[in-house]
Amino acid sequence: MAVSPALDSAGVAPRARPAPPAPATRRTGRAGRAAAGLVPAGLALALGLWGIRRENSMWRDESTTYQVAHRSVADIWRLLGGADAVHGLYYLLMHGVFALWDGGLVALRLPSVLAMAAAAAGVGLLGQRLAGPRAGLAAGLVFPLAPAVQRYAQEGRSYALVCAAVVAATHLLLSAVARPRKRTWAGYAAVTSLACLLHEFAILAVAAHGVALYRARAGARCGWAWGQAASVVAVVLAPLVIVSQQQAALVGWISPPGPPELLGFGALALAGLVCARGPLPAHGPVPLRDLALALLILPPAALLAVSYLHPLYVDRYVLYAYVGLALLIGARLDALSRTVAAPRALAGGLAVAAVAALLPYSLHLRTPQSRLDDPLAAARAVRELSRPGDGVLFLPARRREPIMSRPEDFRGLRELALARHAIPSGTLHGIELPAPLIRARMLTAGRIVTVNDPPGQPLDGTPQERVKRKVLAEHFHRCTVRDVTGMRIVLYGRAGAC
C-alpha cells in the first residue's frame, strides 16, 4: 500500500516548520526593541533638561567641580596628589568639556543629563534582552523617574556617568556570557575599569556581576573569564585606592549608618524582593532576577557593612543600584499586565498615579532649596552687602566656594586670612595665615564681611578659626545678617562704621 504523503516512512507525521513571521510582525518586533531604548532616553533627557539651571544655583560639590575643572591640567594633577583623587578622572573630563564650551551651569550639568539618558536607554535594552520589549520599556521608564536618579541627572558630579558605565558593562557581561569571546571580555574589563576610575565604589558592581553569574550557574569557563576581567579592574584601580586612602580625611564628615540610611536601603531592597517573587520572564543568558537583585542589594549592603568600621556609606556612591530596582519593577509590571484584566487601563492608571506622586518632589529638586547650600547665592549676598576696601573672611576656611566660583562678586574686597591661593598651593581652598597674622590684618579693617556655616553647626577649633571669632567679638559690631541656602553672610563693622 502506498504511503500517504502526509506520513513519513515510519508512519509518523513530520513536524511542521513554523511559518516565518510576517513582515509586519518583524517590523513590530524591531519597533518594540527600539522603543525600549529610545523612549526611556527621551524621558530621561526631558527630565534632565527641565530646570537644568536650578534657578541659577549651585551647591558646594558642584562648585568644587566647576572651579577645579577650570584649572589647567597641570594644576589639576598637582591638586590630585593631595586631595580629591577619587574624582580626578571626572575633573579631567569636565576640564575638556569647559575647554570646548564654557557654558556655565548648563555645561556643568549637561554631561550628567546625557549620561543618565544613555543609562536609561541601556536599562530599557537590558530589560528587553532579559524579559522582552514590554518589560524593557517599563524598566527604562521607571529608572529616570526615580527621585535619586532625577537628582543626580542634574548634578555636576560623576554619579550619572558611573551609572551609564555600569549599565554598558552589564550589557557587555551578558554578551560575553551568551557568546564568550576574548574581545568581549576585554571590553567588559575596559568599561568596568572606566566606571571604577570615575568612582572607586563602582567595583561593587563588578562584585554584583560575579554573584549574578554564580547564581545563574553560568559555568566554570564564564566564571574564570569574569575572574580574569575583575583582576584587571582591580589592578587598574589599585593606585587610585592607595592614593585615596591617604586622603581619607576628606570624607571624615561621613557618619556611621543610622536609621535613615538603613530604612532607605531596606525600603528599596524590600521593593525589589517583592517584585522578584513569583514567575518572571527569563530570555537572556543570565536570569533577570539574579542580575537585578545582585545590583540592587550587594553594593549598598556591602558599603553599609564596611561603614560600621570605617564610615563610607553615602547613597549616591552606589546610585547604580537603581538599575536593579528598575529592572525588577519593569519585569513585574510586564508580568502583571499579562494576567490582570484590562492591562492597558491599569498600566495607564499606575503611570499617572506615579507621576502625580513624584511631581511635588520633582518640582522641589529643581529649586536651590533642594541642595545643602548655594555658594552662588552667598556670593551675590556678599556683593550686595559689601563695598570696595572691606575685608572678607570665611568661617571656616572651607567656606571659600563662593569666592572660587564667583570671584567677580568679591572684586575690591581684601582677603584677610589667605596666605596662598588654591591653585598655586595645589589645594582645594588655599592655605591660611598663622593666627597672629590673621589678627593683625583684621584689626586694620573698618568693615568685614564673613561667609559662615548656617547656625547650629559645630565650630572648628583651629587657632585660625578661634582668633577670627575672638577678634570679631571683641572689636566689631554685627551690622547686617543675611541667610541664604546653607550659609549665613554677616557684615561686621567698627563702632559707627556699619
Side-chain angles (χ1 to χ4, degrees):
M1 182 174 64
V3 179
S4 168
L7 302 175
D8 61 14
S9 57
V12 179
R15 181 176 298 172
R17 294 182 179 178
T25 303
R26 290 198 297 269
R27 286 195 297 271
T28 301
R30 286 196 295 269
R33 288 191 291 271
L38 293 177
V39 176
L43 175 62
L45 188 62
L47 289 172
L49 294 175
W50 170 32
I52 189 172
R53 296 182 62 87
R54 209 162 59 238
E55 300 178 21
N56 291 319
S57 65
M58 175 169 62
W59 82 289
R60 69 177 70 166
D61 281 11
E62 292 182 301
S63 173
T64 300
T65 297
Y66 187 82
Q67 56 92 5
V68 171
H70 277 86
R71 303 184 188 189
S72 70
V73 173
D75 288 331
I76 295 173
W77 193 254
R78 182 161 58 250
L79 167 70
L80 300 180
D84 255 10
V86 69
H87 298 296
L89 178 59
Y90 177 68
Y91 290 151
L92 292 169
L93 290 173
M94 290 306 298
H95 174 82
V97 170
F98 285 120
L100 292 172
W101 174 51
D102 198 348
L105 291 173
V106 177
L108 174 68
R109 294 174 183 144
L110 189 59
S112 294
V113 173
L114 297 176
M116 207 61 92
V123 170
L125 294 173
L126 278 176
Q128 184 268 324
R129 291 181 73 168
L130 298 174
R134 294 201 304 179
L137 179 60
L141 293 175
V142 165
F143 178 73
L145 287 173
V149 173
Q150 288 193 56
R151 178 187 182 101
Y152 294 106
Q154 284 192 334
E155 285 217 349
R157 298 299 273 177
S158 64
Y159 310 112
L161 279 72
V162 173
C163 273
V166 168
V167 170
T170 305
H171 275 284
L172 287 167
L173 177 76
L174 296 178
S175 297
V177 174
R179 189 178 177 187
R181 290 183 294 183
K182 288 184 178 180
R183 64 183 182 185
T184 309
W185 281 111
Y188 172 77
V191 174
T192 49
S193 295
L194 173 63
C196 292
L197 291 175
L198 285 168
H199 198 283
E200 58 190 351
F201 290 148
I203 192 68
L204 296 172
V206 182
H209 288 159
V211 170
L213 291 181
Y214 174 78
R215 293 278 302 166
R217 296 181 175 87
R221 183 180 178 186
C222 279
W224 174 245
W226 171 84
Q228 289 179 305
S231 299
V232 170
V233 176
V235 170
V236 171
L237 185 60
L240 177 59
V241 172
I242 293 170
V243 174
S244 64
Q245 284 300 306
Q246 296 169 355
Q247 301 171 0
L250 292 171
V251 292
W253 56 270
I254 302 177
S255 302
E261 290 79 14
L262 295 175
L263 287 173
F265 166 67
L268 294 180
L270 180 61
L273 289 169
V274 169
C275 290
R277 287 182 61 84
L280 290 176
H283 298 170
V286 177
L288 180 143
R289 178 185 285 106
D290 294 335
L291 178 63
L293 284 176
L295 283 172
L296 171 63
I297 293 176
L298 188 146
L303 198 56
L304 278 167
V306 170
S307 293
Y308 284 105
L309 300 175
H310 181 52
L312 290 171
Y313 180 79
V314 181
D315 57 357
R316 61 181 177 266
Y317 293 169
V318 286
L319 182 66
Y320 53 82
Y322 281 90
V323 173
L325 181 62
L327 289 172
L328 289 166
I329 293 176
R332 180 50 58 201
L333 290 175
D334 179 41
L336 287 173
S337 72
R338 299 175 187 275
T339 58
V340 177
R344 291 185 180 178
L346 176 65
L350 288 173
V352 170
V355 171
L358 290 171
L359 184 59
Y361 186 75
S362 297
L363 290 170
H364 175 67
L365 279 176
R366 289 153 178 87
T367 66
Q369 292 73 31
S370 65
R371 301 315 197 266
L372 194 62
D373 54 21
D374 185 359
L376 297 188
R380 290 191 292 269
V382 168
R383 183 189 64 210
E384 293 165 4
L385 294 179
S386 64
R387 63 191 184 201
D390 288 349
V392 62
L393 285 174
F394 300 90
L395 288 88
R398 62 178 178 274
R399 278 300 186 191
R400 289 180 51 80
E401 297 98 349
I403 194 172
M404 299 180 73
S405 295
R406 292 279 300 180
E408 59 270 27
D409 286 336
F410 292 77
R411 190 172 293 119
L413 303 184
R414 295 189 297 139
E415 284 208 63
L416 301 176
L418 189 66
R420 296 185 66 197
H421 287 278
I423 294 177
S425 65
T427 61
L428 283 172
H429 302 116
I431 298 174
E432 291 203 331
L433 293 163
L437 290 180
I438 293 176
R439 172 184 168 82
R441 284 194 178 186
M442 290 178 67
L443 292 176
T444 67
R447 298 179 3 139
I448 299 175
V449 182
T450 64
V451 180
N452 308 265
D453 279 333
Q457 295 297 308
L459 300 176
D460 283 24
T462 64
Q464 288 94 334
E465 300 303 328
R466 290 200 303 270
V467 79
K468 293 176 194 175
R469 295 194 295 266
K470 183 177 181 182
V471 172
L472 288 172
E474 293 179 353
H475 298 277
F476 290 83
H477 299 284
R478 182 177 288 193
C479 303
T480 306
V481 177
R482 183 171 299 181
D483 288 321
V484 298
T485 304
M487 295 189 197
R488 170 168 282 184
I489 314 303
V490 183
L491 172 63
Y492 289 89
R494 301 276 192 164
C498 285

